[in-house]
């Protein structure tokens, strides 16, 4: 028997109930775990690390020397989801992404939701992420966010909550796939003992989604990367290879007569769909940042003319912005006439004076986030913050309230994880990847991220987080 | 058909690895010859040969005020600040592979990445056994060629990888032979015998020589074999035959000029005789071939690899 440190009181643990009994969907795993010696398990963990290094599944850390490639720590205890829970999550995600796409189409066309007064128009139209260049542009099938990475957590009430919708260039799916491959390589017997829903077909679903994103027959699809110094380059190369399409950089493409071509060894070839892993502002130096070396001059004009499709569309950032987040349940009701299946975290918008004063009075209890922040940067976690940090944030809030939102500090659920001291509970989240094409498709599971520091709630890899394989058990 | 930039990375990946291998071969021959009893000046010439051939001499002199085997070995093999060192070549080969890792097989990538990780360790740790280090470099290069041959789809990617190998190899063989060109001018001596044998061994051509000529090692025959033999895989002619075949297989019709130049160069090698070459001066002959090979490389760049 391995000793597993019990979860903290008032925290939901994915494996152990409040009375420390094992949740049924972890029964078999725990039985297996207890048959393994500590030495074997340590050996397997080492093997995993070695393999990840050899395969080069690393990410570059900005600012370090260029040779420094770090591994994202991988934990061998999976996050397991029972089939029933996944069905609910899946339905909720499908509903949410459908509504977000409808919202994006609406705000770049008639703006019904703004006219209905559900969302203050200036909060959308004056948002830095709102791209006026997209007004009136008709996209095939009206899809804006073809690939969404929705971050979901479980609170201590046992319920799932959406933390944020990532609709720009969400990353991490390659880790989901590599983690599964690693688990199957290290512990094949585990997969004989569990009916784990497969995730390996994600690249072929992605290719279907991208091919469906255009009206062109037999379209040429490419993946656009900023290049091999980008921290997510591994993923770009991985997905291009798995889909069997070209991985291009901006300099491989050019625009002529509002059509996009790539330079090949046999001459020029027209490109119909670009799965771009480059932010909006770097896409076209003629339209956005003139100093961008990553983009393609004239790309926006070709896009607006309908001669090329970008996935995701330009201007999706306005819908995953933290200041718009509180309205997503309203979008579900407005566009789909349905009740939202997934919970939103209650959010105070500091732009409103009454909400600001509530936030200022409760800074030591709340999480405060920058509206455009991402990656776990620029946020305050009240209960964990020092006096000085709170005072610093108070000053920032008063100086620029519209730049912040606040939420209650959620008690992210924990999952037992291998750490220095043994097996101990660590906070986790889940990022399922939602593909919007002919219909909405989601491979069961997602990327499970884990905060490796005791008590930490920040799971981002840039902040020392790790990952786990996520299993959806087929009933 | 593939992206020009992808073809460029594949081509340079194999060029750099081939260059690393040939540098190891070159150092190997210099170090073994420097150990022979000979004059101070002779040993010095042997030791400095790798710097002369690879045009690194000025760079070396900028950093070091004396020429010692230890300093030279470090500079040519391990110095990461020297962009032409073996370790730097391996790094560049690996970086080119990294940029197109989706276009090579997982086995190829893991192989070249592992080579780089070990090379980095060598650079930190230093070399304690010179011979073992040279063998290691050659072995890693052999392995990579083997894993490429055994795993990659036959198509343009494979063509550009092989093109890089043979252009680099033709260039390197010509340079290696050129170092010994001056020996043809003077009366043969006992130490010359060692010099030509060492050159053959460095090019893994010693056994081939014995099989073809069944004779003592002579300058004339070594020259003939390394330039004109169609059967020796590192000879100029064998490299050009490979290049012509590969160029004919690449999709599209951008490569007309490259094919024409390669065919002209191959015809030159097919119909040349060693007596003419020796009579006209080996050094001049090789210098002209180096210019031809370089020009061919430029044609290939213009036809396929240029991204702009």
């Amino acid at each position: 028997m391995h000793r597993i440190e019990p979860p903290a009181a008032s925290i939901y643990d994915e494996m152990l109930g409040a009375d420390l009994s094992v949740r049924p969907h972890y029964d078999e795993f725990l039985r297996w775990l207890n048959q393994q010696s500590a030495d074997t398990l340590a050996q397997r963990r080492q093997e995993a690390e070695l393999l990840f290094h050899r395969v080069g599944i690393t990410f570059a850390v900005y600012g370090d020397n260029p040779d420094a490639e770090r591994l994202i720590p991988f934990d061998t205890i999976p996050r397991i989801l029972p089939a029933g829970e996944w069905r609910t999550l899946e339905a909720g995600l499908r509903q949410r992404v459908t509504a977000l796409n409808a919202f994006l189409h609406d705000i770049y066309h008639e703006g019904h939701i703004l006219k209905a007064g559900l969302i203050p128009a200036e909060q959308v139209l004056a948002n830095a992420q709102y791209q006026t260049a997209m007004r009136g542009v008709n996209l095939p099938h009206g899809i804006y966010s073809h690939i969404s990475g929705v971050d979901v957590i479980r609170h201590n009430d046992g319920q799932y909550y959406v933390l944020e919708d990532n609709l720009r260039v969400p990353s991490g799916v390659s880790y989901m796939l590599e983690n599964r491959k690693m688990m199957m390589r290290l512990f094949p017997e585990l997969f004989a003992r569990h009916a784990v829903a497969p995730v390996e077909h994600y690249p072929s679903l992605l290719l279907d989604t991208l091919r469906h994103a255009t009206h062109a027959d037999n379209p040429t699809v490419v993946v656009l990367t900023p290049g091999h110094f980008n921290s997510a380059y591994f993923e770009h190369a991985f997905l291009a290879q798995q889909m069997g399409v070209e991985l291009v950089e901006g300099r491989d493409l050019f625009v002529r007569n509002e059509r996009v071509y790539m330079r090949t060894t046999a001459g020029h070839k027209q490109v119909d769909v670009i799965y771009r892993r480059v932010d909006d502002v770097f896409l076209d130096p003629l339209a956005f940042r003139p100093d961008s070396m990553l983009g393609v001059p004239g790309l926006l004009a070709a896009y607006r003319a309908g001669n090329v499709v970008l996935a995701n569309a330009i201007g999706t950032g306005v819908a995953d912005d933290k200041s718009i987040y509180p309205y997503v349940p309203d979008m579900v009701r407005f566009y789909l006439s349905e009740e939202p299946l997934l919970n939103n975290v209650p959010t105070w918008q500091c732009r409103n004076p009454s909400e600001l004063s509530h936030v200022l009075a409760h800074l030591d209890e709340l999480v405060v986030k920058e509206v455009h922040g991402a990656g776990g940067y620029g946020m305050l976690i009240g209960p964990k913050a020092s006096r000085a940090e709170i005072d610093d944030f108070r000053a920032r809030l008063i100086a620029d309230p519209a730049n912040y939102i606040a939420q209650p500090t959620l008690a992210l659920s924990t999952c037992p994880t291998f750490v220095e001291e043994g097996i101990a509970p660590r906070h986790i989240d889940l990022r399922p990847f939602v593909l919007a094409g002919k219909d909405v498709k989601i491979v069961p599971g997602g990327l499970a991220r884990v905060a490796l520091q005791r008590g930490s709630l920040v799971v981002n890899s840039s902040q020392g987080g790790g990952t786990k394989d996520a299993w959806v058990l087929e009933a | 058909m593939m992206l020009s930039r992808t073809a460029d990375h594949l081509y340079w990946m194999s060029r750099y690895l081939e260059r690393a291998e040939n540098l190891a071969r070159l150092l190997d021959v210099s170090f073994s010859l420097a150990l022979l009893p000979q004059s101070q000046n002779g040993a010095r010439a042997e030791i400095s040969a790798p710097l002369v051939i690879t045009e690194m001499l000025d760079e070396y002199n900028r950093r070091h005020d004396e020429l010692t085997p230890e300093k030279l070995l470090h500079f040519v093999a391990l110095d990461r600040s020297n962009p032409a060192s073996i370790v730097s070549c391996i790094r560049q080969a690996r970086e080119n592979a990294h940029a197109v890792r989706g276009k090579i097989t997982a086995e190829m990538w893991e192989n070249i990445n592992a080579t780089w990780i070990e090379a980095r360790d060598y650079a930190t740790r230093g070399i304690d056994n010179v011979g073992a280090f040279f063998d290691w470099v050659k072995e890693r290069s052999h392995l990579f060629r083997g894993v490429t041959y055994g795993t990659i789809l036959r198509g343009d990617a494979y063509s550009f990888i092989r093109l890089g190998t043979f252009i680099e190899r033709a260039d390197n063989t010509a340079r290696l032979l050129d170092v010994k060109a001056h020996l043809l001018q003077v009366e043969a001596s006992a130490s010359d015998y060692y010099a030509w044998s060492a050159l053959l061994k460095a090019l893994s051509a010693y056994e081939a020589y014995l099989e073809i000529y069944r004779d003592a090692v002579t300058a004339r025959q070594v020259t003939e074999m390394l330039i004109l033999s169609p059967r020796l895989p590192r000879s100029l002619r064998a490299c050009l035959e490979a290049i012509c075949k590969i160029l004919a297989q690449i999709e599209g019709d951008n490569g007309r000029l490259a094919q024409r130049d390669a065919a002209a160069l191959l015809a030159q090698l097919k119909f040349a005789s060693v007596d003419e070459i020796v009579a006209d001066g080996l050094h001049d002959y090789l210098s002209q071939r180096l210019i031809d090979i370089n020009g061919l490389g430029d044609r290939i760049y213009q036809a396929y690899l240029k991204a702009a």
Side-chain angles (χ1 to χ4, degrees):
Chain A
M1 287 281 281
H2 299 281
R3 200 192 102 76
I4 299 180
E5 186 188 310
S10 83
I11 298 282
Y12 186 99
D13 188 80
E14 301 289 336
M15 185 188 284
L16 303 172
D19 57 354
L20 299 188
S21 64
V22 178
R23 298 190 194 277
H25 55 281
Y26 267 102
D27 261 348
E28 185 61 30
F29 178 81
L30 212 56
R31 209 172 4 253
W32 169 86
L33 189 71
N34 283 324
Q35 290 163 357
Q36 315 301 311
S37 73
D39 282 352
T40 314
L41 292 171
Q43 215 175 11
R44 292 280 185 279
R45 289 200 297 280
Q46 247 176 3
E47 204 181 320
E49 190 167 325
L50 211 80
L51 284 168
F52 275 135
H53 257 300
R54 245 186 72 192
V55 178
I57 305 181
T58 52
F59 70 103
V61 184
Y62 293 119
D64 285 14
N65 86 63
D67 282 348
E69 289 176 343
R70 265 192 6 214
L71 283 185
I72 297 186
F74 170 66
D75 184 62
T76 48
I77 299 177
R79 171 182 192 155
I80 305 180
L81 294 102
E85 276 184 19
W86 173 252
R87 269 194 297 276
T88 317
L89 255 180
E90 192 186 20
L93 291 166
R94 179 172 288 129
Q95 178 192 55
R96 194 169 172 105
V97 167
T98 307
L100 285 163
N101 269 312
F103 169 72
L104 282 161
H105 183 269
D106 187 24
I107 59 170
Y108 287 119
H109 291 83
E110 291 81 8
H112 296 299
I113 198 163
L114 309 179
K115 288 176 193 149
L118 283 175
I119 305 175
E122 102 278 355
Q123 232 174 300
V124 173
L125 305 179
N127 191 302
Q129 300 295 321
Y130 184 85
Q131 298 289 1
T132 42
M134 290 299 293
R135 293 194 70 131
V137 176
N138 289 316
L139 302 181
H141 316 289
I143 298 171
Y144 285 73
S145 184
H146 306 81
I147 301 107
S148 314
V150 182
D151 291 342
V152 177
I153 60 112
R154 196 207 291 271
H155 188 39
N156 59 7
D157 56 6
Q159 298 275 316
Y160 287 104
Y161 288 80
V162 172
L163 214 50
E164 61 187 39
D165 307 284
N166 296 286
L167 311 181
R168 301 172 211 190
V169 284
S171 64
V173 77
S174 59
Y175 296 100
M176 169 185 91
L177 296 168
E178 288 293 335
N179 287 352
R180 174 63 54 83
K181 209 154 89 189
M182 185 61 71
M183 284 298 277
M184 294 182 78
R185 187 160 171 176
L186 296 177
F187 310 112
E189 70 276 16
L190 263 178
F191 291 84
R193 294 168 74 149
H194 290 89
V196 181
V199 294
E200 294 80 352
H201 55 301
Y202 177 85
S204 81
L205 289 184
L206 176 61
L207 183 59
D208 282 350
T209 304
L210 294 170
R211 292 171 64 94
H212 177 261
T214 173
H215 294 304
D217 285 331
N218 197 14
T220 298
V221 176
V222 299
V223 177
L224 175 64
T225 174
H228 65 288
F229 297 112
N230 184 270
S231 63
Y233 173 74
F234 163 74
E235 178 158 306
H236 309 158
F238 175 88
L239 290 173
Q241 183 185 38
Q242 295 290 308
M243 292 191 287
V245 305
E246 293 292 342
L247 176 68
V248 304
E249 296 180 13
R251 59 192 157 125
D252 298 320
L253 301 178
F254 67 95
V255 174
R256 186 174 296 159
N257 299 329
E258 298 193 332
R259 284 171 204 282
V260 182
Y261 297 89
M262 58 179 166
R263 303 175 216 273
T264 81
T265 53
H268 306 143
K269 188 166 190 342
Q270 194 180 342
V271 171
D272 303 298
V273 181
I274 302 177
Y275 176 28
R276 49 92 170 209
R277 298 293 300 253
V278 172
D279 290 337
D280 283 359
V281 293
F282 295 108
L283 278 177
D284 181 350
L286 299 183
F288 304 108
R289 279 180 62 155
D291 61 338
S292 171
M293 305 292 286
L294 309 175
V296 187
L299 180 58
L300 182 70
Y303 182 53
R304 286 170 48 93
N307 292 331
V308 68
V309 169
L310 295 173
N312 290 348
I314 291 174
T316 52
V318 63
D320 72 8
D321 189 87
K322 291 184 179 69
S323 69
I324 299 298
Y325 165 88
Y327 302 108
V328 178
D330 293 322
M331 296 177 199
V332 172
R333 293 184 195 99
F334 185 76
Y335 297 111
L336 309 179
S337 309
E338 293 172 8
E339 271 308 299
L341 299 170
L342 288 176
N343 302 303
N344 240 33
V345 182
T347 303
W348 289 278
Q349 304 203 44
C350 302
R351 62 190 314 118
N352 302 331
S354 63
E355 297 185 37
L356 175 64
S357 58
H358 173 89
V359 170
L360 289 174
H362 297 87
L363 275 180
D364 55 344
E365 302 161 23
L366 300 173
V367 175
V368 183
K369 296 177 182 171
E370 278 182 25
V371 171
H372 307 303
Y377 294 104
M379 61 190 270
L380 173 83
I381 301 180
K384 311 249 176 217
S386 68
R387 198 69 252 160
E389 285 167 325
I390 290 185
D391 288 341
D392 171 49
F393 252 79
R394 184 186 309 281
R396 291 206 239 167
L397 271 167
I398 293 168
D400 187 10
N403 195 31
Y404 295 92
I405 54 124
Q407 295 171 333
T409 309
L410 292 174
L412 271 61
S413 63
T414 56
C415 182
T417 300
F418 280 105
V419 292
E420 207 123 308
E421 313 87 275
I423 304 177
R426 290 291 181 266
H427 293 291
I428 55 168
D429 80 345
L430 182 70
R431 173 178 289 183
F433 294 90
V434 184
L435 297 174
K438 202 171 304 165
D439 33 42
V440 178
K441 293 212 168 93
I442 313 169
V443 293
L447 177 66
R449 299 187 296 180
V450 54
L452 294 171
Q453 299 299 316
R454 173 181 297 273
S456 166
L457 297 169
V458 186
V459 296
N460 305 74
S461 55
S462 52
Q463 313 274 307
T467 65
K468 287 168 172 287
D469 193 10
W471 293 2
V472 172
L473 292 186
E474 283 171 339
Chain B
M1 187 276 299
M2 68 195 318
L3 277 185
S4 295
R5 186 176 51 79
T6 304
D8 189 60
H9 285 303
L10 292 168
Y11 174 83
W12 282 103
M13 170 186 78
S14 55
R15 274 198 82 157
Y16 275 119
L17 202 60
E18 182 70 22
R19 191 173 294 179
E21 178 187 336
N22 286 315
L23 272 170
R25 292 176 178 279
L26 178 59
L27 285 174
D28 200 359
V29 72
S30 297
F31 271 72
S32 56
L33 287 176
L35 294 177
L36 290 173
Q38 57 186 316
S39 69
Q40 197 71 17
N41 279 344
R44 216 188 123 79
E46 280 309 332
I47 284 295
S48 60
L51 295 174
V52 177
I53 300 184
T54 55
E55 297 161 20
M56 287 189 232
L57 189 59
D58 290 349
E59 190 64 32
Y60 180 90
N61 287 333
R62 253 195 293 284
R63 293 168 204 224
H64 303 285
D65 41 23
E66 53 169 356
L67 188 64
T68 69
E70 295 74 27
K71 283 186 176 161
L72 173 117
L73 180 65
H74 179 264
F75 178 73
V76 178
L78 301 185
D79 192 345
R80 293 177 66 176
S81 70
N82 169 13
S85 70
I86 291 179
V87 165
S88 293
C89 284
I90 292 176
R91 183 177 59 78
Q92 291 174 87
R94 186 262 187 188
E95 261 177 27
N96 277 288
H98 188 226
V100 290
R101 59 176 294 174
K103 288 288 166 188
I104 57 180
T105 62
E107 285 95 331
M108 288 167 71
W109 163 249
E110 287 182 26
N111 180 280
I112 203 165
N113 195 38
T115 303
W116 161 238
I117 291 169
E118 286 172 47
R120 208 170 42 182
D121 290 347
Y122 265 118
T124 327
R125 228 181 29 232
I127 296 173
D128 45 9
N129 179 339
V130 182
F133 174 74
F134 299 147
D135 285 346
W136 174 81
V137 177
K138 283 188 271 179
E139 191 178 298
R140 295 308 302 184
S141 179
H142 291 321
L143 271 174
F144 188 72
R145 246 189 326 273
V147 78
T148 302
Y149 179 78
T151 62
I152 199 170
L153 188 73
R154 297 317 188 240
D156 283 350
Y158 186 55
S159 295
F160 284 108
I161 290 171
R162 293 186 2 111
L163 212 45
T165 302
F166 288 112
I167 289 276
E168 185 68 25
R169 185 178 292 173
D171 172 280
N172 293 178
T173 296
R175 283 172 194 264
L176 270 156
L177 183 57
D178 198 18
V179 191
K180 299 283 172 273
H182 64 279
L183 294 179
L184 273 168
Q185 315 294 335
V186 293
E187 198 73 7
S189 73
S191 68
D192 287 0
Y193 168 80
Y194 289 111
W196 291 108
S197 301
L199 177 62
L200 287 177
K201 284 175 186 155
L203 289 168
S204 307
Y206 189 70
E207 291 85 351
Y209 181 91
L210 295 180
E211 191 170 332
I212 294 178
Y213 295 99
R214 302 187 188 281
D215 189 12
V217 173
T218 71
R220 188 184 161 282
Q221 287 168 5
V222 171
T223 302
E224 180 180 59
M225 183 172 77
L226 292 183
I227 298 176
L228 303 178
S229 168
R231 294 161 62 200
L232 184 80
R234 312 191 82 83
S235 79
L236 255 57
R237 172 154 171 205
C239 290
L240 260 299
E241 287 197 350
I243 289 167
C244 284
K245 271 193 204 132
I246 298 163
L247 286 174
Q249 285 163 1
I250 293 174
E251 220 182 289
D253 33 44
N254 283 4
R256 207 176 50 78
L257 293 176
Q259 286 195 42
R260 188 192 65 190
D261 285 9
L265 186 48
L266 176 59
Q268 209 294 320
L269 291 162
K270 256 185 181 160
F271 301 110
S273 83
V274 69
D275 295 329
E276 275 170 27
I277 293 172
V278 172
D280 294 355
L282 178 58
H283 174 70
D284 289 347
Y285 179 82
L286 289 172
S287 301
Q288 189 51 51
R289 294 297 80 80
L290 279 169
I291 292 169
D292 294 343
I293 294 163
N294 196 18
L296 181 55
D298 198 50
R299 288 283 197 220
I300 291 169
Y301 169 76
Q302 295 292 342
Y304 304 111
L305 311 178
K306 213 167 84 172

